[in-house]
Amino acid sequence: MSGSEKKRRLGDRKDARRIRNDELDGVHSLFPFIAPKRTESEVYIKQQMDVTDLVEYVKKINEKDPDHKMTYFHVFVAAIAKTVFMRPLLNRYIMAKKYYERNNIILSFIAKRKFKDSAEEMLVSLKVDKEQDLTGISRYISGDVKKIREAGTNSIDGTLKMLQKLPRFINGIFIGIMRMLIYFDLYPSEFQKGDTNYSSVLISNLGSIKCDAPYHHLNNFGTNSAVICIGQIHKQEIITDTGDKQIRDVVNFGITLDERIADGFYFAKSIRLLQFILSNPNLLERPIGEKIEYED
């Protein structure tokens, strides 16, 4: 998205442009040397979101179009995409001690084929088009999940199944080679396309199984710098700014970020923007790539 329309320069990667030193402050330019691993740079944020207006909005949308069921998760995905578009530092990652900003916003999640302990998980990645709106994203997710469930696999799932049949020492060699290819930006595009480790944000919807939001670790494999776990929407008594008590619909977000990509001030403003969007879900009827005005 950002950077995708610019000509590739020396030092850029296939999926991202290199962030030059003049775009960084002194602290962040040294961060990759101080904390070289993503997993040792994790910052955790537990945020409760008011989704009262979102719940009512989804109800009205589904009454208007009963042939397509929009879910809360679809709105969360669209809202996160909008937030990343508006706050591009969230779409950065560090590789080989250098900063990069992705050319596209890619959101991914893991879904069960069936709600059973023995059911396999499937990997789903969504490359967000800046012209898409909430309806487009909702229909894409529904269609993609349905297609994968019917087919029983997707490209990355098929690769994982093949690797599963190989001896363990071969798996170790294979992953070692993959790490080297990632480092030098030679990782096959077909693998990268469906790999959740290459997403801007990995989203885990625990609310669908009636669970609250935990914190999910980051991974040193790939480039993913943000994970959001979404809990179950529930009623809770809230004290308003005027001191009144109200029963509101709320949901907990467990957010894990690579603190090297931005500072706490930037993260806090991004979360407030996400809350603003969730409180005004009609904004998602506009294209994701259209900026919105809001008071911080």
Side-chain angles (χ1 to χ4, degrees), residues 94-110:
I94 294 171
M95 178 57 60
K97 296 183 174 60
K98 301 180 184 70
Y99 282 84
Y100 296 90
E101 187 171 302
R102 290 180 182 81
N103 299 327
N104 298 287
I105 294 173
I106 300 174
L107 306 181
S108 64
F109 58 93
I110 300 173

Side-chain angles (χ1 to χ4, degrees), residues 86-267:
M86 295 275 293
R87 308 289 290 167
L89 268 62
L90 299 177
N91 208 17
R92 290 185 175 184
Y93 65 83
I94 294 171
M95 178 57 60
K97 296 183 174 60
K98 301 180 184 70
Y99 282 84
Y100 296 90
E101 187 171 302
R102 290 180 182 81
N103 299 327
N104 298 287
I105 294 173
I106 300 174
L107 306 181
S108 64
F109 58 93
I110 300 173
K112 281 275 196 181
R113 291 197 171 92
K114 295 179 181 179
F115 288 124
K116 293 182 179 179
D117 289 345
S118 58
E120 293 186 28
E121 293 181 330
M122 58 182 184
L123 310 178
V124 182
S125 288
L126 166 63
K127 178 180 173 182
V128 182
D129 188 316
K130 64 181 181 181
E131 299 302 323
Q132 282 181 302
D133 58 10
L134 172 58
T135 301
I137 288 176
S138 175
R139 291 186 179 277
Y140 182 93
I141 293 174
S142 297
D144 209 36
V145 170
K146 181 181 178 182
K147 180 174 65 178
I148 294 172
R149 279 183 171 146
E150 289 175 349
T153 186
N154 61 13
S155 58
I156 190 68
D157 284 333
T159 302
L160 294 176
K161 283 181 176 294
M162 179 190 72
L163 291 173
Q164 186 180 16
K165 298 175 183 178
L166 298 175
R168 304 303 290 170
F169 79 93
I170 296 294
N171 286 167
I173 294 171
F174 179 83
I175 295 300
I177 293 172
M178 288 298 102
R179 287 185 184 278
M180 183 179 66
L181 294 178
I182 291 169
Y183 188 90
F184 291 106
D185 196 28
L186 298 173
Y187 191 62
S189 298
E190 279 304 307
F191 287 1
Q192 185 174 329
K193 194 181 298 182
D195 191 341
T196 56
N197 291 305
Y198 271 86
S199 54
S200 307
V201 184
L202 172 60
I203 306 169
S204 180
N205 183 26
L206 278 298
S208 63
I209 55 174
K210 304 185 186 303
C211 181
D212 199 8
Y215 296 117
H216 192 292
H217 64 87
L218 298 177
N219 196 331
N220 289 323
F221 188 92
T223 62
N224 171 244
S225 299
V227 178
I228 296 179
C229 292
I230 304 170
Q232 183 180 15
I233 295 177
H234 58 282
K235 301 284 186 182
Q236 185 167 314
E237 187 177 70
I238 300 294
I239 306 296
T240 67
D241 294 337
T242 58
D244 298 325
K245 293 182 179 180
Q246 291 185 7
I247 302 297
R248 307 284 289 179
D249 290 302
V250 299
V251 63
N252 290 322
F253 276 33
I255 305 169
T256 306
L257 298 160
D258 182 345
E259 69 166 338
R260 299 173 300 173
I261 62 173
D263 58 33
F265 182 75
Y266 194 92
F267 290 147

